[in-house]
């Protein structure tokens, strides 16, 4: 049951990191995967890598903060593969790095438009398509441990990721009667280009920082988040909706 054979999946932010690992894993277990990302070069590369391994994938460029582009993403997915079954709304940008009194409001607006509005827009059009088909589906939104507990000096990111969890619960309440399950994952410290960039930006030592962010004393690999996404999109989680799964090495229990 832990497969997506013949399912059609959209994964946003799939050009690298957790999104790329999720797209690759979904393809390995039989899904037809739409690689949705703003980064055309890396997105095309990810799609080609999947196809070279025998999987089925298509790249569609999208800015998830743009409603017309998000609608086009879903429309193109259905035009290409005939339907939509599951989606992982993962696209996000690097956290902000100033407390509220020093906040860069231009960056705040950009972060919120991608990390929160982007999730809302994706759900809007994904759910509309799932409703048209009438046979349910599964959506997973990427939040963060920052959506479960605050972090210092990144109020925009913390607010956005809390919002993702709220939006997930609301969507689950509204659409579960139609067989549409909506859940979230809350990754902790994951070894992605975004994390590496943030560590460099903030001047943190990776080895020491990992010990502060995990009971297991290490960063997770993107594949470990992909496995959680797969479970939530598969039939093995058929009675799970409106929940947030922390993939954090125990960080939120520390």
């Amino acid at each position: 049951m832990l497969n997506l054979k013949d399912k059609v999946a959209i994964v946003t932010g799939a050009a690298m990191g957790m999104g790329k690992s999720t797209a690759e894993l979904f393809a390995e277990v039989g899904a037809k995967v739409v690689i949705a990302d703003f980064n055309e070069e890396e997105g095309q590369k990810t799609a080609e890598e999947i196809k070279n391994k025998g999987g089925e994938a298509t790249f569609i460029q999208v800015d998830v903060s743009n409603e017309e582009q998000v609608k086009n993403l879903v429309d193109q997915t259905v035009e290409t593969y005939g339907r939509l079954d599951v989606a992982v709304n993962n696209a996000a940008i690097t956290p902000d790095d100033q407390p509220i009194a020093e906040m860069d409001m231009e960056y705040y607006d950009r972060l919120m438009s991608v990390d929160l509005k982007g999730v809302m827009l994706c759900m809007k059009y994904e759910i509309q398509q799932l409703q048209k088909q009438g046979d349910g589906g599964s959506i997973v939104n990427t939040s963060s441990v920052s959506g479960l507990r605050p972090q210092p000096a990144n109020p925009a990111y913390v607010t956005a990721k809390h919002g993702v969890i709220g939006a997930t619960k609301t969507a689950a309440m509204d659409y579960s009667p139609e067989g549409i399950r909506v859940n979230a994952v809350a990754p902790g410290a994951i070894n992605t280009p975004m994390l590496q960039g943030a560590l460099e930006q903030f001047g943190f030592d990776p080895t020491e920082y990992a010990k502060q962010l995990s009971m297991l004393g290490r960063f997770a690999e993107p594949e470990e988040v992909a496995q959680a996404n797969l479970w939530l999109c598969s039939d093995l989680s058929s009675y799970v909706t409106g929940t947030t799964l922390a993939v954090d090495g125990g960080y939120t229990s520390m």
Side-chain angles (χ1 to χ4, degrees):
M1 295 174 67
L2 194 60
N3 70 74
L4 299 175
K5 184 173 175 56
D6 298 325
K7 302 287 188 182
V8 178
I10 289 175
V11 182
T12 70
M16 59 184 67
M18 295 181 295
K20 179 177 181 179
S21 291
T22 297
E24 291 173 338
L25 180 58
F26 280 19
E28 286 176 15
V29 297
K32 303 169 185 177
V33 185
V34 172
I35 310 298
D37 205 288
F38 187 73
N39 188 327
E40 182 175 10
E41 181 179 354
E42 292 299 323
Q44 291 279 18
K45 182 179 177 182
T46 296
E48 289 302 317
E49 289 173 354
I50 288 173
K51 288 187 281 188
N52 289 339
K53 294 177 181 178
E56 192 163 352
T58 299
F59 171 72
I60 298 176
Q61 187 175 34
V62 63
D63 176 353
V64 296
S65 69
N66 183 300
E67 184 166 6
E68 183 178 348
Q69 290 188 30
V70 172
K71 182 179 185 301
N72 179 65
L73 166 64
V74 176
D75 288 345
Q76 281 196 51
T77 297
V78 175
E79 183 178 334
T80 301
Y81 293 122
R83 61 180 290 113
L84 174 66
D85 297 290
V86 300
V88 177
N89 299 318
N90 169 76
I93 61 175
T94 305
D96 48 327
D97 62 355
Q98 297 293 334
I100 290 175
E102 302 165 39
M103 187 183 296
D104 179 343
M105 295 309 298
E106 182 177 349
Y107 193 73
Y108 171 91
D109 288 341
R110 177 60 181 153
L111 187 148
M112 294 294 284
S113 73
V114 174
D115 291 24
L116 181 54
K117 179 185 174 183
V119 170
M120 298 289 274
L121 287 174
C122 287
M123 282 202 293
K124 175 180 178 178
Y125 290 102
E126 292 158 358
I127 290 169
Q128 286 181 9
Q129 179 58 35
L130 295 175
Q131 287 179 306
K132 288 177 186 177
Q133 295 166 186
D135 53 1
S138 179
I139 294 172
V140 179
N141 299 317
T142 303
S143 179
S144 166
V145 291
S146 294
L148 297 170
R149 57 189 274 188
Q151 308 296 327
N154 55 10
Y157 189 75
V158 168
T159 299
K161 293 303 186 179
H162 273 72
V164 168
I165 291 176
T168 297
K169 291 178 179 180
T170 301
M173 180 176 290
D174 287 339
Y175 300 106
S176 290
E178 299 176 59
I180 300 171
R181 298 187 298 110
V182 187
N183 293 289
V185 294
I190 313 299
N191 187 22
T192 64
M194 180 183 289
L195 175 65
Q196 296 301 330
L199 291 175
E200 183 176 343
Q201 178 181 349
F202 302 147
F204 293 140
D205 175 75
T207 302
E208 290 304 314
Y209 202 51
K211 297 175 183 177
Q212 298 177 38
L213 296 182
S214 168
M215 290 182 181
L216 300 176
R218 64 174 177 85
F219 296 141
E221 293 303 318
E223 294 79 8
E224 294 175 291
V225 179
Q227 290 161 3
N229 288 332
L230 173 58
W231 181 72
L232 287 171
C233 286
S234 77
D235 290 341
L236 284 180
S237 62
S238 58
Y239 199 60
V240 179
T241 193
T243 196
T244 299
L245 175 61
V247 186
D248 66 351
Y251 171 71
T252 49
S253 297
M254 291 170 67

